[in-house]
Every structure is written in structure tokens, then in C-alpha cells.
Amino acid sequence: MIGGNAFSRCSSLAAITIPDGMSTIGDEAFSRCSSLTAITIPDGVTMIGDHAFSGCSSLTAIIIPDGVTTIGNSAFEECDSLTAITIPEGVTTISRSAFYGCSSLTAITIPDGVTTIDVRAFQNCSSLAAIIIPEGVTTIGDGSFHGCSSLAAITIPDGVTTIGDGAFYECTSLAAITIPDSVTTIGWSAFYGCTALTKLILSPAVSIGRKCFYDCTALIAAAADQNMSTVEDLLHYRWHRNVAVIERVNALLCLKGTWDHVENQLSGPDSLKQKRMDGVEAPLRATEAREKIPKVLWRVILEFL
């Protein structure tokens, strides 16, 4: 075993070979070894501790042997020269902040045995362009891909049930995403600021948190059978900050004659309004007729926005 803090802050250490017979790399063992560029981990190691290599800002590559089953919290946090890494088959959880701030990481392989991508696991991996989440994953944790600004493609498998708060916050290159029917909960601000997102497919029964699609300025189409309150909520408060889109939504709704006027209410930049006969603008609210619009019709309306 290499104990906790064994080489922590050895700023001149450039390379090291761990001898055979070691089973554990302890917490913060090589933390802040800012000159460390290469390291060989032997096959006998089964555990990499919390913060084991955090802040190793010169580390460009590392091979994790197949015997490793545990990669601790923040194990490679802010290894901002690390470009690629393969996680071995025995690992079941991508731990909290495991690769947080690995800003040069362009590729990562997640094995089939992983079931959980924990909180902030890949947050601020700003060079990560694509990732495949294996079928066994059930939870995508809070902020797990927050700030992955180059992430253009991601596949969410059928087994996922929860997408956490801020999971894809400000993934500004993400253009399309399909959320499988297995997902029951999408957290607060999960896709906040995904400004390139133009296509979204959702499960009909999914519960969506506050500001889930806030500032998704390009999101002008969706194909989803959802309950009416969810559709209303998304349309008017979360999907768009784009005046042109608001005007098109307003025109469609007015065309269907399904809105009444509500007088004497404050209006804001997101308000849907319609001029009354006397020229006074008032916010709009749903009528009983609007509540009776079948979901399939709303699907058609959404696809034409």
C-alpha cells in the first residue's frame, strides 16, 4: 500500500513506477505533484483512493489496470493535461468529481459494469466531445457533465431512471438528445444553457425540475407525448428566451382560440400576451377548451414551432 499523502505536493517528481505487490494507492498519495507526467500502476492494485492524483496538472496519460475496482472521489480532479483514460471493467461507480476539471480530456471509455455516474464526475471536462454511457447505468448524478462545452453527442441508455440537477448544465455544443422512457426524473437546471439544443425527445411521464431547459435558445421543436401541464410549463417558462419563438407560440394558441385574457397582471419578457379589442395588452391563461386539446394535437403544434 502507498499510504495517504505519501508523495503529496512533491512538485519536482516527474515520473514514478509503483512496485508489484501494492494493492492500494491511498488518499492524496500523489496529490498536487504538479510535475508528474507519467506513472505506471501495477496489476495488483485494486483501489485508487480519494484525491490520489488530484492536481497532477502535467499528467498526460495513465493506464489503470484491470484489477482496479474502486476509483475514489476526486481521484483525477484537475489533471488538466490528461487527454484520454480507460476505466477498467471491474469499476461500478464513477465517483464524485473523479475527473472534475480534466479540461484536456477528449476521450474516455466507461465499462459496461458501471451503474452510477456520480455527482460532478466529469464537470468542466471542456474538451470531451462525445461519450457513450453503458446500458447498466441507472443514475446520472448532479452536475455530472456540467460545463462540458464541447460535448456534441451523448447516448442515454434505457436503464437510466434519474438525470440529476444540472447534469448537462451549459453543454453548449449539445444539439440533440433522446431521453428514454425509463427516465422518470430530470432534475433542476439539468439542461440549463444548452444553447445549441434543437431536438429533444422526452418520455411522456417524466417529472421535470425547475429551469430544466432555461436559456435553451435554439430549442424550437420537440417530439414528446406529455401531460398538458408539463407542456404548458415547458413552453412558457423553460424552453425559450427567444422572442420570435414566443410570437409563434402565441400565434398558434390564439389561432386555436384557447386562451382568455387576464387583466391587471404584471408582464415580463417571457409573458405571452395578446391585444384585446381596445388595444390593451394582457397576459394569457388557459381555458377549459385548451385543456381539452388532445396530446397528439399538441405534439403536432410543438413540431411546427
Side-chain angles (χ1 to χ4, degrees), residues 9-14 30-38 51-61 75-83 100-105:
R9 300 183 185 275
C10 291
S11 57
S12 298
L13 183 66
F30 298 93
S31 176
R32 305 295 167 189
C33 291
S34 56
S35 298
L36 186 66
T37 59
H51 295 273
F53 297 94
S54 66
C56 292
S57 54
S58 298
L59 189 65
T60 57
F76 296 92
E77 182 176 345
E78 294 180 350
C79 290
D80 49 22
S81 296
L82 191 65
T83 58
Y100 179 104
C102 292
S103 56
S104 297
L105 189 66

Side-chain angles (χ1 to χ4, degrees), residues 44-191:
V45 172
T46 59
M47 178 179 178
I48 298 173
D50 296 347
H51 295 273
F53 297 94
S54 66
C56 292
S57 54
S58 298
L59 189 65
T60 57
I62 190 167
I63 296 173
I64 302 175
D66 289 339
V68 171
T69 57
T70 301
I71 298 175
N73 297 330
S74 303
F76 296 92
E77 182 176 345
E78 294 180 350
C79 290
D80 49 22
S81 296
L82 191 65
T83 58
I85 196 163
T86 298
I87 299 169
E89 291 291 336
V91 174
T92 58
T93 298
I94 309 297
S95 298
R96 181 184 298 260
S97 301
F99 299 95
Y100 179 104
C102 292
S103 56
S104 297
L105 189 66
T106 58
I108 190 162
T109 301
I110 300 176
D112 291 339
V114 169
T115 58
T116 300
I117 298 174
D118 211 340
V119 175
R120 298 186 298 277
F122 298 98
Q123 183 170 337
N124 292 339
C125 291
S126 54
S127 297
L128 189 65
I131 194 164
I132 297 173
I133 298 174
E135 292 292 334
V137 171
T138 58
T139 301
I140 298 174
D142 297 349
S144 50
F145 295 94
H146 179 166
C148 292
S149 55
S150 298
L151 188 65
I154 190 165
T155 300
I156 298 177
D158 288 337
V160 172
T161 59
T162 301
I163 297 173
D165 297 344
F168 297 93
Y169 190 108
E170 292 186 343
C171 289
T172 53
S173 298
L174 191 63
I177 194 161
T178 298
I179 299 172
D181 290 350
S182 60
V183 174
T184 57
T185 303
I186 303 175
W188 184 85
S189 297
F191 295 91

Side-chain angles (χ1 to χ4, degrees), residues 96-302:
R96 181 184 298 260
S97 301
F99 299 95
Y100 179 104
C102 292
S103 56
S104 297
L105 189 66
T106 58
I108 190 162
T109 301
I110 300 176
D112 291 339
V114 169
T115 58
T116 300
I117 298 174
D118 211 340
V119 175
R120 298 186 298 277
F122 298 98
Q123 183 170 337
N124 292 339
C125 291
S126 54
S127 297
L128 189 65
I131 194 164
I132 297 173
I133 298 174
E135 292 292 334
V137 171
T138 58
T139 301
I140 298 174
D142 297 349
S144 50
F145 295 94
H146 179 166
C148 292
S149 55
S150 298
L151 188 65
I154 190 165
T155 300
I156 298 177
D158 288 337
V160 172
T161 59
T162 301
I163 297 173
D165 297 344
F168 297 93
Y169 190 108
E170 292 186 343
C171 289
T172 53
S173 298
L174 191 63
I177 194 161
T178 298
I179 299 172
D181 290 350
S182 60
V183 174
T184 57
T185 303
I186 303 175
W188 184 85
S189 297
F191 295 91
Y192 189 118
C194 291
T195 52
L197 191 62
T198 58
K199 188 66 177 177
L200 171 70
I201 298 177
L202 284 171
S203 162
V206 66
S207 172
I208 298 173
R210 292 182 59 247
K211 296 186 177 180
C212 186
F213 299 98
Y214 191 89
D215 275 349
C216 291
T217 51
L219 187 58
I220 59 174
D225 293 319
Q226 301 172 64
N227 63 64
M228 297 302 294
S229 61
T230 302
V231 171
E232 178 184 357
D233 197 21
L234 290 176
L235 269 177
H236 305 144
Y237 300 106
R238 297 181 187 163
W239 279 2
H240 50 70
R241 310 284 291 175
N242 185 312
V243 172
V245 175
I246 293 172
E247 289 175 351
R248 276 180 281 177
V249 172
N250 189 29
L252 284 168
L253 296 175
C254 292
L255 181 64
K256 290 297 174 184
T258 57
W259 294 86
D260 284 339
H261 310 295
V262 181
E263 299 181 25
N264 302 318
Q265 291 190 18
L266 295 176
S267 61
D270 297 327
S271 298
L272 292 175
K273 297 184 292 184
Q274 181 185 30
K275 289 187 177 181
R276 298 193 320 229
M277 295 300 292
D278 58 7
V280 177
E281 289 186 337
L284 301 173
R285 66 176 174 83
T287 64
E288 290 184 7
R290 176 240 182 244
E291 297 296 340
K292 294 178 182 178
I293 294 179
K295 293 178 185 177
V296 65
L297 178 57
W298 268 98
R299 181 170 182 169
V300 172
I301 291 174
L302 287 171

